[in-house]
Amino acid sequence: MEPLSHTTVGSESLEDWRVVGSGGFGHVYKARHKDWGFDVAVKLLHDGVGCQSSTLMPNDKALCDEIRHMVKASCEFVLRVYGFYEGNTPLTKLSMQKGIVMEYMGNGSVQTLLTGLPGPLPWPLAFRLAHQVALGMNFLHSRDIMHQDLKPSNVLLNDDLNAKLADFGLSRVPTSALNSNRELTGEVGGTYKYMPPEAFGISYEPSRAFDRYSYGILLWSILTGKEPYTTASYELVALRIPQGDRPPLAEIKQSKAEGLNELVDLMKMCWNENPSTRPHFLDCLKVTEKVFSKHKKGIPDAVHEVLKTLESANSTQHPSVSLSFPPQMPEHATSYDTVDHVRFTQV
Ligand code: ATP
């Protein structure tokens, strides 16, 4: 395997570390690159994800492969990757920490909108997100890359709330870390809510149809401003989704917006239980582009309104913590509530 021509960023190049969040693969930080003069995001990977050796050269095959995938996927609607991170670990100062240096996205993710806004998104923004995600996914599939973990927290938002897809590289790492009980049962990220019925079986082969189903559920989240099955456990979702249940439609049916019905029809096609009937992203794009074009003019007001709401919500919370290097690991998110009630719809 040839050496990577990628930039390796060391801890000496970065300053002003701040904790951004954590997920199934590791912790994410924001840091200022001293020479580049702008902020980057650094995802430090948990031990055992991707790398075995102490240097970031070709024998770190899994991580290198994933970064190659991410580079191959360079596109406006896909998160940009600048290179590897290699430096002292915030956990044990004895070994080197490894990770990925990426474009920093100033407004979190679609998950931030779902949890940070009091109601659904303004339609122009919802329709733009639906379109940009379809553009990003179509690009990935055209480059033979499957995402396999499309969900709100993996659709990141820049300063203008434009969307870029993240985490598609790591989601392909075939390690026990990915398939661990913790990841599958959704302690982190709620991945299982976006998994198609066929993926709950034992002998599932990854396919593009997986991503098409996830897109259908993501569309529901974008259109309603909610997470599906908020209080459902993994066990309940794994039982009910293969039986044909899906998120409820009643609320969307009461809403009115030009083109909304077309998106709802698309959403239902995407989450169809038969993988072979789910539309390709190129076909999704035709619908999302048409719907978005009818609402484009409303984008500046919609973005302004959402940013103002997020800003006032943030100002009432604690400011992010500034860290000297090495940063301390944030407390890990632990549990998801078990079921008490859950809303499904039979389709
Ligand atoms: P999972 O690992 O299960 O997919 P996740 O997607 O929440 O869960 P991460 O991708 O590690 O986990 O992200 C953790 C947090 O960091 C999320 O809140 C995400 O919005 C944020 N984040 C990730 N990458 C970036 C980035 N490049 N810029 C800004 N914030 C980011």
Side-chain angles (χ1 to χ4, degrees):
M1 189 193 226
E2 85 242 34
L4 290 163
S5 54
H6 249 85
T7 310
T8 296
V9 177
S11 45
E12 71 290 345
S13 307
L14 300 175
E15 61 186 3
D16 196 14
W17 289 73
R18 279 157 204 269
V19 176
V20 173
S22 65
F25 294 103
H27 302 280
V28 179
Y29 300 87
K30 170 187 175 187
R32 168 64 54 122
H33 195 290
K34 292 179 197 166
D35 299 330
W36 298 345
F38 59 83
D39 293 330
V40 294
V42 185
K43 183 180 280 196
L44 298 185
L45 304 177
H46 292 314
D47 284 349
V49 178
C51 331
Q52 301 300 326
S53 76
S54 61
T55 62
L56 267 177
M57 285 313 285
N59 47 351
D60 292 290
K61 189 175 176 311
L63 183 60
C64 296
D65 282 354
E66 295 320 310
I67 292 190
R68 280 200 179 88
H69 278 299
M70 290 162 120
V71 171
K72 188 171 150 196
S74 174
C75 144
E76 189 185 340
F77 306 103
V78 172
L79 191 74
R80 198 158 165 187
V81 171
Y82 298 121
F84 297 108
Y85 175 78
E86 191 176 28
N88 293 334
T89 164
L91 268 179
T92 69
K93 289 170 189 134
L94 296 174
S95 62
M96 297 293 267
Q97 185 85 35
K98 293 155 191 178
I100 302 174
V101 182
M102 307 166 284
E103 182 177 5
Y104 175 72
M105 299 288 275
N107 278 308
S109 65
V110 169
Q111 184 68 39
T112 317
L113 301 183
L114 301 185
T115 52
L117 297 179
L121 287 165
W123 291 121
L125 190 57
F127 296 150
R128 186 174 75 175
L129 285 174
H131 184 47
Q132 290 178 332
V133 172
L135 283 166
M137 285 307 306
N138 184 53
F139 184 80
L140 290 184
H141 281 193
S142 76
R143 308 299 309 260
D144 277 337
I145 296 171
M146 290 184 273
H147 192 299
Q148 308 286 289
D149 197 15
L150 181 60
K151 59 181 179 179
S153 66
N154 285 337
V155 180
L156 300 183
L157 301 170
N158 72 6
D159 291 348
D160 305 317
L161 298 177
N162 283 299
K164 296 191 186 208
L165 302 177
D167 263 9
F168 55 89
L170 288 173
S171 58
R172 293 166 49 102
V173 177
T175 65
S176 56
L178 176 63
N179 295 320
S180 73
N181 207 33
R182 181 171 161 273
E183 172 66 15
L184 192 62
T185 57
E187 275 185 25
V188 176
T191 293
Y192 65 96
K193 296 175 181 176
Y194 297 83
M195 268 168 44
E198 66 274 13
F200 290 98
I202 320 163
S203 59
Y204 166 70
E205 280 290 317
S207 77
R208 286 176 168 79
F210 185 121
D211 290 337
R212 292 171 192 143
Y213 175 92
S214 306
Y215 180 67
I217 305 292
L218 182 70
L219 271 182
W220 184 90
S221 295
I222 288 172
L223 296 177
T224 60
K226 294 179 178 169
E227 270 272 32
Y229 340 118
T230 33
T231 54
S233 65
Y234 169 77
E235 286 74 19
L236 189 59
V237 173
L239 178 74
R240 301 278 298 267
I241 296 310
Q243 288 173 352
D245 288 353
R246 298 292 182 270
L249 294 174
E251 199 176 317
I252 305 184
K253 280 185 179 154
Q254 286 167 7
S255 308
K256 294 219 175 342
E258 202 181 353
L260 179 61
N261 289 342
E262 289 164 66
L263 274 192
V264 171
D265 289 344
L266 177 67
M267 177 178 87
K268 291 198 278 190
M269 283 194 274
C270 287
W271 73 30
N272 193 294
E273 67 175 298
N274 181 352
S276 64
T277 66
R278 294 175 200 152
H280 291 213
F281 280 104
L282 195 54
D283 296 319
C284 297
L285 275 182
K286 289 174 191 151
V287 179
T288 57
E289 185 170 24
K290 188 172 149 213
V291 175
F292 173 49
S293 71
K294 294 176 182 162
H295 295 264
K296 236 178 192 160
K297 280 193 194 138
I299 279 291
D301 286 348
V303 169
H304 180 72
E305 179 192 328
V306 169
L307 289 179
K308 227 171 82 183
T309 311
L310 290 178
E311 204 181 310
S312 63
N314 281 342
S315 64
T316 58
Q317 289 168 4
H318 297 297
S320 60
V321 189
S322 181
L323 299 161
S324 56
F325 193 85
Q328 296 300 302
M329 283 294 183
E331 281 294 305
H332 217 290
T334 45
S335 65
Y336 251 59
D337 290 341
T338 45
V339 202
D340 45 36
H341 87 279
V342 58
R343 292 168 65 216
F344 287 103
T345 244
Q346 188 80 36
V347 289

